[in-house]
Amino acid sequence: MVQKALLNKQTMIDLLGNDYDSIQYFRLQFVEQSEAILPELLEYLESGCFDKLQLKAHFLKTSAKAVGAEMTADSLYQLELSANAQDPKTSAMIMDSLLLLHTELKAIILESSNRD
């Protein structure tokens, strides 16, 4: 099994070439998008709206894959599956993991955007 990367930098290079400014723009857009969606995911989990949880997780997973956030995309996929099964305990554990991954990913993206 291939180890997933927190941020696979090659993903965006494959999509956009070596256009550093565009790559950083899309990474920062992903951070902003996920900052808006993660609270919604928590709300849907807490209120038992598993259909909405599944749809939003799928939407964010697509964006995570596009920027190379492989571990985040994998966690979102697992969240989709647990939401489909309407499994609140597993969904809550995945959300905890996802929030930690997001914090780490955000730090990496912001650090790389501050390069000289």
Side-chain angles (χ1 to χ4, degrees), residues 50 54 79-88:
F50 289 102
Q54 182 181 14
L79 184 58
E80 276 186 89
L81 294 177
S82 67
N84 186 48
Q86 298 193 7
D87 183 351

Side-chain angles (χ1 to χ4, degrees), residues 6-114:
L6 186 58
L7 182 62
N8 182 342
K9 295 178 181 180
Q10 190 61 43
T11 301
M12 292 294 287
I13 293 170
D14 290 347
L15 289 172
L16 300 172
N18 286 318
D19 184 351
Y20 175 78
D21 291 336
S22 292
I23 289 171
Q24 279 309 110
Y25 171 79
F26 285 109
R27 286 179 182 161
L28 292 171
Q29 287 297 109
F30 172 72
V31 167
E32 289 177 14
Q33 180 184 56
S34 58
E35 292 281 304
I37 291 176
L38 286 172
E40 290 179 38
L41 293 175
L42 284 169
E43 182 181 319
Y44 295 147
L45 174 61
E46 290 170 357
S47 63
C49 295
F50 289 102
D51 55 337
K52 291 180 181 180
L53 179 63
Q54 182 181 14
L55 289 172
K56 280 289 184 176
H58 178 76
F59 175 80
L60 191 57
K61 177 189 74 180
T62 302
S63 296
K65 284 183 175 183
V67 299
E70 295 175 343
M71 292 172 68
T72 300
D74 191 54
S75 289
L76 286 160
Y77 174 69
Q78 295 302 320
L79 184 58
E80 276 186 89
L81 294 177
S82 67
N84 186 48
Q86 298 193 7
D87 183 351
K89 184 177 179 181
T90 302
S91 293
M93 290 187 307
I94 294 168
M95 278 301 304
D96 287 344
S97 169
L98 187 58
L99 291 170
L100 178 60
L101 282 171
H102 179 263
T103 300
E104 293 170 4
L105 181 63
K106 180 179 173 183
I108 289 170
I109 290 172
L110 293 176
E111 179 182 309
S112 66
S113 72
N114 292 327

